[in-house]
Amino acid sequence: MAEATAAQPFRFFSPTSFWNKRLSSEAPLDPDSARIMDAFQAEIAREKREGTPPTINTRRWSVPIYTVPGDQPTVRVEHEGAGSSPSLQQAWRAVPLPPGAHPAAGSDRHLVVWQPSSDKLWEFWRLRHDEEGWHARWGGAMEHVSSNPGVYGPEAWPGATSHWGATASSLALAGGLITLEDFAAGEIDHALAIGIPDVRAKEYSLPAQRTDGPSTDPLSLPEGAHLRLDPNLDLGPLHLPPAALMIAKAARRYGIFVRSLGGHVVFFGQDPVPTGTGPYMGANGFFEATEPSQLLANFPWEHLQLLKMNLRREQ
């Protein structure tokens, strides 16, 4: 990660990005907010009954970020599989990917390379390495990261399209990620990303650019939906553990974007594999020797609201 100061912690993307914009207490709610949030609460209640309550992914199906210097040697990452894109292959012809890098565990095998000196990043879906070199099924590349809104489109890189990106919504993997710096500081100064099951089919809400949602339920949440905790909610009486409290505060100030389809409701904490450390667990860890699902046991899901959506249909 880039250097940060206590006065101005580092945040990916433009200061005016939707990831970095504080919400007004008067931000308009969607007309269907109450009904859709009731359905979402029912989903969370079902997950709790079935023993798979909401959690924070930090290893499997999360995001390791490899922050590299300007002189990091580059390698070609071969774009393979369906949906071949010459422009994406061109963007991956020289990636400053460290030789010992490891993508996140799980079938998505996500990984982000961030080069502060060039203000560029690369992200990958199903990244792997074999005797022939590096390969990935899909992903993206972004230049001028510090002025990008944090979603893929033509401005991200020469030849880029809104179908780029390792997530099926085109929202950048680094967006909404709870970083190790966030946990160390005890404060999240940006919006959060969330994965949910039963994402709405064939419809998404801006800033998302596409969807892989399977649900035909009209009360399902689309990718790109922007949730927030009621700005008038007093968090003190909830007595949340520190990690859960910082998430709740960010959800109240900046909100939560539905980034991707998942097996159950999850936030995303930065995968620490590039650091060679295990900062989450243990008595002195960020989670204070508590499982992340237990940290969220009393999270006030019932106080979530859905902000007004800007819906689009897939062509």
Side-chain angles (χ1 to χ4, degrees), residues 114-303:
W114 161 234
Q115 189 174 55
S117 62
S118 65
D119 201 22
K120 295 178 181 178
L121 66 73
W122 297 258
E123 63 177 55
F124 304 97
W125 178 66
R126 294 194 174 175
L127 179 70
R128 64 182 179 89
H129 186 268
D130 61 21
E131 64 276 4
E132 296 179 354
W134 290 98
H135 311 259
R137 293 291 298 275
W138 195 245
M142 189 178 290
E143 59 182 6
H144 312 304
V145 174
S146 60
S147 59
N148 190 281
V151 61
Y152 282 95
E155 74 285 353
W157 195 279
T161 75
S162 59
H163 282 80
W164 281 27
T167 72
S169 62
S170 296
L171 297 176
L173 279 176
L177 182 69
I178 309 171
T179 67
L180 298 178
E181 286 86 350
D182 292 334
F183 280 112
E187 183 174 9
I188 303 169
D189 199 24
H190 56 79
L192 302 161
I194 199 169
I196 64 170
D198 300 324
V199 170
R200 187 179 301 183
K202 301 185 182 303
E203 196 169 47
Y204 57 90
S205 179
L206 299 180
Q209 300 294 302
R210 52 194 172 105
T211 181
D212 61 347
S215 177
T216 58
D217 185 343
L219 297 182
S220 59
L221 281 163
E223 282 170 326
H226 193 182
L227 315 179
R228 67 128 184 244
L229 278 180
D230 184 339
N232 297 313
L233 176 63
D234 183 1
L235 297 173
L238 300 179
H239 303 293
L240 296 171
L245 180 60
M246 63 186 277
I247 291 172
K249 286 180 176 179
R252 194 174 56 180
R253 293 171 182 163
Y254 294 95
I256 306 167
F257 286 95
V258 177
R259 194 198 76 182
S260 54
L261 176 69
H264 58 126
V265 176
V266 295
F267 291 108
F268 300 96
Q270 184 181 346
D271 186 331
V273 68
T275 69
T277 65
Y280 291 107
M281 304 309 292
N284 297 317
F286 296 140
F287 293 166
E288 299 181 329
T290 303
E291 291 296 322
S293 59
Q294 285 299 111
L295 290 174
L296 297 176
N298 294 320
F299 191 83
W301 301 103
E302 68 277 13
H303 292 281

Side-chain angles (χ1 to χ4, degrees), residues 59-62 103-110 124-128 137 166 261 263:
R59 293 258 186 203
R60 296 178 66 82
W61 293 289
S62 191
S107 58
D108 288 336
R109 297 181 64 79
H110 284 149
F124 304 97
W125 178 66
R126 294 194 174 175
L127 179 70
R128 64 182 179 89
R137 293 291 298 275
L261 176 69

Side-chain angles (χ1 to χ4, degrees), residues 90-106:
Q90 181 71 5
W92 289 357
R93 74 189 188 282
V95 180
L97 178 60
H102 292 280

